[in-house]
Amino acid sequence: MSSQDQTDQDGDEATIVHETIDRPELSPGSPATDWETYFPFDEPYDAQREAIEQTHETLLDGGFAVAELACGTGKTLFSLMRGIELVRDPTTPYKRVMALTSVKQQIRAFEDDLKAINRNLDEDIPPVSALTAVGKADLCSYVDTGRIDDNRIYSRCEELREPVRKTLAQTGSEDARTFLDSLVDKSEVDSKSREQPVTTEDWSAPYAEGIPETDGGGSGGAEFCPFYAKYRRETLDDPEEGGYTPQGVMTPEELRAQASTAGICPHAVMGDAVANAEVIIANYYHAFDPDTVDTLTGGIIDKETLLICDEAHMLVPRVRDVLSQSLSRWQLQRTIDEIESEILNQSHRGVDRTIRETLTEHFVSLDNLKKFVELLRDLQDELERRAATALDESDDVADWREKSHPDLPEDIQQPLRDPRTPQPDDLSEWAADEGYTDLLGHAKQLCDGVVAALRQASQHHQGYTRLNTYSETTGQVLQRWADCDHEQYIRTIELHKRQRAEEREFAWAGHYSAHLTIENCLPAEEIAAQLDHFGGGILMSATLAPLDVYRRTVGLDRLEENGRPVQEIVAGLPFPPENRGSFAVDLEKFTYGNRGPTNPRWRDDDQDDVRDDYASVIRDVARTTDGNVLVAMPSYSEGEWAAEMLRSDPQIEKEVLVDQSSSNEITESLKDEFFGGAPKALVTSLRGTLTEGVDYEGDRLDACVVCGVPITNIDGPVPTAIRTAYEREFGKHNGFDFAFTVPAVRKARQALGRVIRGADETGIRVAADRRYASSHNWDDVREYLPEYEQSDYDPTRPEMVTNEINRLVQQWK
């Protein structure tokens, strides 16, 4: 939903065409190259206009704009206006916009704003072409009908595509169309057929419900995907046609319905359309995950693409997750089996010849593969030995052999180096001692050769199919193990508890699966390197402050040192200040040491006093506000405590809902329940999904109270290594705050920002913890609020909260 008032959300439905649409011939200075031509509402907000105009020169110079724009300032539309103007202006280098966001609701916001833009264009202005990129599970026609489980989509998709690829590889170009025609024809349902077509409520394909098979003679055929077969038939002349292109704004649902109705693979169509659209809406993986970039978006990440990074406060944690990888003992064994049985001991002469020829093309020798298998076996032995040691040395489970499975902890993590001292890890030193360093350094090349050989053999030999390889992942993880440094990465052994105890060769393996993991600590270098591939960009959020800290932790200062300008833009809430009550309540810190456990049996009197003080503030907010109240706690367990406390208060008539760590479907249902009916209190965790990216517009939320500063658990080897990396990069006095405190304050600000979303809305925002109210103590966080919020959030004594809220509520009535 756009930040501007928008009553009609449904624009004309987009279409997808099998051709590259010529970009409009636009003259510099014409209305079609002016962003105001595309603005879909009467007037932009002042903050929008200023941000659009201020960023023009920076982006033309190949720079980046860092924009903290408060909720309700129209960030989505600002970035689109700036991007569309640059793309439509023939004098700029930009040909497309890539808009990234980590929140599904923001994907919808981009789609809605783009539809509003096209809906309000004059007839002589060509509509903006846009596409939302998603994964196979969201687009596959067979997943939509339930024929394929979405958890199996990637392996099943390859299985169904391979018969088409294999035959095309063996078929001359003049016979290819005849072959594809035959596959499509045999799959279609005609008027005489008794079979029902593949269908859903949104579309009906021309094919029968069952997955068809190729003609296999006496040996039987192989299942294939008719949607993919028709796509290949339609794109045989792609050099001339240019693939598929969206006309208008194409959502995943529209793409799936239109392509499925036409009998064409929606995901394959999306691959074409990504290269041809003017605006691509995507998630962080599409720009920062090497695999996704390699298979889908690599061709558009260049100097002709303007990056828009929405919810940019999540950039560091999202990229850190992408860069962290894991390799299980099971995966190691499967890779060993694969290389030995399919490569080294291949019994089919024709297959063996193709495999050897392909390996040679990839500069992979059989001798090196034999040595690599030795490395994998020894690595597996080391993992097994270290897994047992990790259990024996764990403080929680030193007596694990005597404990029953349910009593064992869920996860155990053992570092392979001192997290406080960057140095080569134990396993890397072991590899060096055993003479394996060079093999580790060539792991990806060796495994890529294996994967290429198996796929080449699968394409050229009937009856031989090896599509789902284990070597690919193994090569990637071991290569990262060899390449990544020991300061910004830490290697660990991780044990993940099995759902139930099993009989295994090793006693520990009956309870846990073992993994080698490499965890990123500080992704600034990798983020900067990927940002540098784009022509320029806008990184925006309502919670980026302090901007100097943000620039340093995402690597923008590195880019600026290399000549790429970086611009800062800040805009506070544009709505009347008298419509909001914002309080920083001066209470003792809400930390575990001060508040104690949620079970009162284990608390002392001082800890009880702290909880009583916070309970009083939460009750005050719930009692004195008329509408919905969001209570955001540091964890889900603290949320359960707060909910029970509210339910036990006879003066609180609101129904109390409790959010827990659960599936997206359950969370969405809880959100709908909160929005509907009589006013309620919703208690959640500040680390959950209901405190950011959710639009509580209108009367959906009257108040939010945040308790404590939600600093993540800093115990354990990985948090210690993260802190160490930040201290070494940004200084010892900055390390902890940059790594943990600042992100925690952003989390709290996200929750508080849910309340006021429009010019006519009123609401209460309460940050309960003296660290928000004070600037005198070493651990205070008020300095990490932007200036406009420091002036908003008045330090308030807890006994004054009720009076202040009552005063405002009466004023608003």
Side-chain angles (χ1 to χ4, degrees):
M1 187 74 179
S2 167
S3 56
Q4 253 82 5
D5 294 331
Q6 183 175 334
T7 56
D8 177 14
Q9 297 183 46
D10 298 321
D12 294 334
E13 185 176 279
T15 58
I16 197 90
V17 297
H18 183 213
E19 61 181 288
T20 300
I21 300 174
D22 291 333
R23 294 290 167 81
E25 296 282 340
L26 304 176
S27 302
S30 72
T33 62
D34 183 349
W35 67 265
E36 294 194 71
T37 299
Y38 300 91
F39 196 80
F41 306 111
D42 292 339
E43 287 291 334
Y45 297 138
D46 290 342
Q48 280 176 320
R49 181 180 292 278
E50 291 173 7
I52 294 168
E53 293 175 350
Q54 288 175 14
T55 53
H56 185 260
E57 292 302 320
T58 298
L59 298 177
L60 277 183
D61 291 341
F64 293 87
V66 182
E68 170 161 316
L69 305 177
C71 299
T73 50
K75 292 185 293 294
T76 306
L77 206 50
F78 136 65
S79 61
L80 287 173
M81 290 298 95
R82 171 44 54 229
I84 290 170
E85 180 183 75
L86 290 172
V87 169
R88 287 283 170 101
D89 186 341
T91 65
T92 80
Y94 295 108
K95 291 186 177 179
R96 68 189 68 84
V97 172
M98 188 176 190
L100 306 180
T101 181
S102 61
V103 181
K104 285 188 175 180
Q105 178 164 309
Q106 287 305 109
I107 289 177
R108 182 61 187 270
F110 276 106
E111 292 172 346
D112 286 345
D113 276 353
L114 284 162
K115 287 187 175 185
I117 289 167
N118 282 346
R119 187 186 310 115
N120 288 275
L121 286 177
D122 292 338
E123 291 184 0
D124 59 337
I125 305 294
V128 176
S129 64
L131 175 85
T132 299
V134 293
K136 284 185 180 180
D138 294 312
L139 286 180
C140 176
S141 311
Y142 284 127
V143 168
D144 200 28
T145 61
R147 297 285 301 182
I148 295 178
D149 189 320
D150 60 358
N151 292 321
R152 290 195 60 213
I153 178 58
Y154 289 96
S155 59
R156 190 72 174 116
C157 175
E158 289 303 304
E159 290 170 1
L160 296 178
R161 287 183 174 191
E162 188 58 20
V164 180
R165 293 190 187 121
K166 180 179 291 188
T167 305
L168 285 176
Q170 300 168 346
T171 302
S173 58
E174 54 195 41
D175 297 325
R177 187 175 298 277
T178 300
F179 162 68
L180 292 170
D181 283 342
S182 69
L183 291 184
V184 173
D185 290 345
K186 74 172 300 185
S187 307
E188 292 182 338
V189 177
D190 57 32
S191 58
K192 300 178 182 179
S193 174
R194 296 181 180 180
E195 294 184 282
Q196 296 297 314
V198 186
T199 187
T200 69
E201 292 182 358
D202 300 318
W203 54 267
S204 180
Y207 309 126
E209 279 190 341
I211 296 176
E213 294 184 358
T214 60
D215 294 324
S219 61
E223 288 185 323
F224 72 94
C225 177
F227 296 93
Y228 181 67
K230 187 171 183 181
Y231 166 79
R232 292 297 299 267
R233 186 184 74 179
E234 298 300 309
T235 56
L236 278 176
D237 301 321
D238 254 357
E240 290 75 31
E241 297 293 340
Y244 286 86
T245 300
Q247 288 184 307
V249 182
M250 178 67 67
T251 67
E253 296 78 15
E254 291 167 340
L255 174 56
R256 185 178 60 220
Q258 288 189 29
S260 298
T261 299
I264 300 170
C265 172
H267 190 262
V269 169
M270 185 192 75
D272 288 350
V274 160
N276 295 331
E278 290 176 292
V279 179
I280 301 96
I281 307 166
N283 61 44
Y284 284 102
Y285 279 84
H286 289 101
F288 294 98
D289 175 52
D291 293 339
T292 305
V293 170
D294 184 54
T295 58
L296 181 64
T297 54
I300 63 169
I301 297 179
D302 56 25
K303 299 301 183 185
E304 295 180 337
T305 300
L306 174 73
L307 175 69
I308 296 174
C309 189
D310 189 29
E311 302 296 330
H313 64 283
M314 292 300 296
L315 187 55
V316 166
R318 287 284 186 267
V319 176
R320 182 182 287 147
D321 287 345
V322 167
L323 297 176
S324 300
Q325 292 184 299
S326 176
L327 185 63
S328 69
R329 173 176 171 266
W330 179 87
Q331 180 86 24
L332 283 170
Q333 185 60 56
R334 290 297 177 270
T335 305
I336 292 168
D337 295 342
E338 182 173 87
I339 295 175
E340 286 195 324
S341 64
E342 303 300 332
I343 304 291
L344 301 178
N345 301 317
Q346 178 57 246
S347 58
H348 190 295
R349 289 188 178 180
V351 171
D352 183 55
R353 186 183 308 109
T354 301
I355 285 174
R356 287 171 182 258
E357 290 172 354
T358 307
L359 289 175
T360 300
E361 291 171 1
H362 285 76
F363 305 101
V364 175
S365 71
L366 293 181
D367 284 344
N368 277 341
L369 281 181
K370 290 175 183 177
K371 293 176 183 177
F372 187 63
V373 168
E374 291 177 13
L375 162 64
L376 296 181
R377 287 194 185 282
D378 287 349
L379 190 57
Q380 191 177 40
D381 290 342
E382 277 295 301
L383 178 55
E384 291 163 359
R385 182 180 68 80
R386 292 172 185 272
T389 301
L391 273 171
D392 290 336
E393 295 180 352
S394 171
D395 294 335
D396 297 329
V397 288
D399 57 345
W400 62 273
R401 290 175 178 82
E402 284 73 47
K403 288 190 175 183
S404 64
H405 186 74
D407 294 331
L408 294 174
E410 290 297 319
D411 297 300
I412 296 171
Q413 191 172 55
Q414 185 182 65
L416 292 172
R417 68 163 171 87
D418 183 346
R420 296 162 297 183
T421 308
Q423 60 188 354
D425 64 276
D426 292 346
L427 208 57
S428 295
E429 291 192 330
W430 164 84
D433 292 341
E434 296 295 322
Y436 287 140
T437 301
D438 188 57
L439 276 175
L440 273 176
H442 290 86
K444 189 174 188 301
Q445 178 191 350
L446 293 169
C447 289
D448 283 352
V450 169
V451 172
L454 295 180
R455 290 180 177 169
Q456 190 76 356
S458 295
Q459 282 196 353
H460 288 85
H461 297 277
Q462 269 323 83
Y464 184 84
T465 303
R466 299 293 184 272
L467 302 173
N468 303 310
T469 65
Y470 300 100
S471 298
E472 187 169 19
T473 299
T474 299
Q476 290 170 353
V477 177
L478 293 183
Q479 190 72 52
R480 289 191 67 76
W481 196 286
D483 291 345
C484 293
D485 66 30
H486 298 275
E487 180 173 341
Q488 298 185 33
Y489 288 84
I490 183 170
R491 284 83 167 163
T492 67
I493 301 293
E494 281 190 2
L495 302 181
H496 300 311
K497 189 177 175 183
R498 300 186 188 279
Q499 289 187 339
R500 60 185 66 85
E502 302 175 1
E503 287 294 329
R504 294 275 177 163
E505 179 183 358
F506 304 101
W508 64 264
H511 299 288
Y512 291 93
S513 61
H515 304 255
L516 296 169
T517 66
I518 177 167
E519 304 256 8
N520 178 264
C521 301
L522 176 58
E525 183 176 333
E526 287 89 344
I527 292 174
Q530 194 65 357
L531 290 178
D532 200 30
H533 290 134
F534 289 92
I538 299 169
L539 291 83
M540 62 185 190
S541 169
T543 56
L544 292 183
L547 294 190
D548 61 328
V549 175
Y550 184 78
R551 288 170 50 148
R552 295 173 70 183
T553 54
V554 302
L556 284 171
D557 280 2
R558 300 168 188 241
L559 296 181
E560 189 171 41
E561 290 172 0
N562 292 329
R564 305 199 68 174
V566 177
Q567 176 186 23
E568 296 180 3
I569 298 174
V570 177
L573 273 174
F575 311 128
E578 61 270 19
N579 283 6
R580 57 187 183 268
S582 308
F583 308 104
V585 184
D586 193 0
L587 290 173
E588 183 56 65
K589 294 185 297 183
F590 198 63
T591 62
Y592 184 81
N594 288 340
R595 68 181 184 256
T598 55
N599 189 329
R601 292 177 58 190
W602 310 109
R603 295 197 300 261
D604 59 35
D605 291 343
D606 289 339
Q607 291 170 335
D608 283 335
D609 289 343
V610 170
R611 283 194 178 272
D612 288 345
D613 289 342
Y614 277 86
S616 178
V617 170
I618 296 171
R619 290 192 192 102
D620 289 344
V621 176
R623 280 195 298 255
T624 53
T625 52
D626 296 330
N628 285 343
V629 176
L630 182 68
V631 180
M633 304 298 291
S635 66
Y636 286 111
S637 61
E638 288 294 340
E640 292 172 0
W641 168 81
E644 184 59 33
M645 175 269 298
L646 287 171
R647 286 169 177 159
S648 64
D649 187 335
Q651 297 184 52
I652 296 176
E653 299 179 355
K654 291 182 172 74
E655 180 185 359
V656 179
L657 306 177
V658 184
D659 181 31
Q660 296 176 329
S661 180
S662 57
S663 67
N664 184 62
E665 291 75 15
I666 294 175
T667 302
E668 286 296 311
S669 176
L670 179 68
K671 186 174 67 176
D672 292 341
E673 185 179 0
F674 181 54
F675 292 160
K680 304 175 185 68
L682 172 59
V683 186
T684 186
S685 166
L686 280 159
R687 300 191 188 111
T689 59
L690 290 174
T691 55
E692 57 181 291
V694 179
D695 199 346
Y696 295 90
E697 62 180 348
D699 59 359
R700 290 179 169 182
L701 190 63
D702 275 16
C704 174
V705 54
V706 165
C707 293
V709 181
I711 295 174
T712 57
N713 185 358
I714 59 174
D715 295 328
V718 174
T720 302
I722 289 173
R723 177 175 181 171
T724 301
Y726 274 74
E727 286 177 347
R728 291 172 67 89
E729 180 70 21
F730 304 116
K732 196 170 185 64
H733 60 293
N734 289 328
F736 183 86
D737 279 2
F738 284 18
F740 300 108
T741 305
V742 170
V745 173
R746 290 176 182 143
K747 283 282 187 186
R749 293 179 60 212
Q750 280 287 322
L752 294 164
R754 301 303 99 196
V755 180
I756 306 292
R757 313 293 291 184
D760 298 326
E761 295 181 17
T762 58
I764 301 297
R765 306 180 298 173
V766 177
D769 192 305
R770 68 123 170 106
R771 289 172 287 182
Y772 296 111
S774 169
S775 299
H776 307 297
N777 301 291
W778 66 271
D779 56 353
D780 290 337
V781 301
R782 191 171 180 85
E783 65 176 303
Y784 294 132
L785 302 177
E787 289 184 7
Y788 65 87
E789 282 191 357
Q790 290 187 35
S791 61
D792 248 12
Y793 282 86
D794 296 323
T796 306
R797 298 196 307 274
E799 64 271 18
M800 295 300 297
V801 171
T802 297
N803 291 338
E804 289 297 318
I805 295 177
N806 277 327
R807 177 182 62 80
L808 287 168
V809 169
Q810 291 303 315
Q811 176 182 313
W812 295 334
K813 285 186 176 179

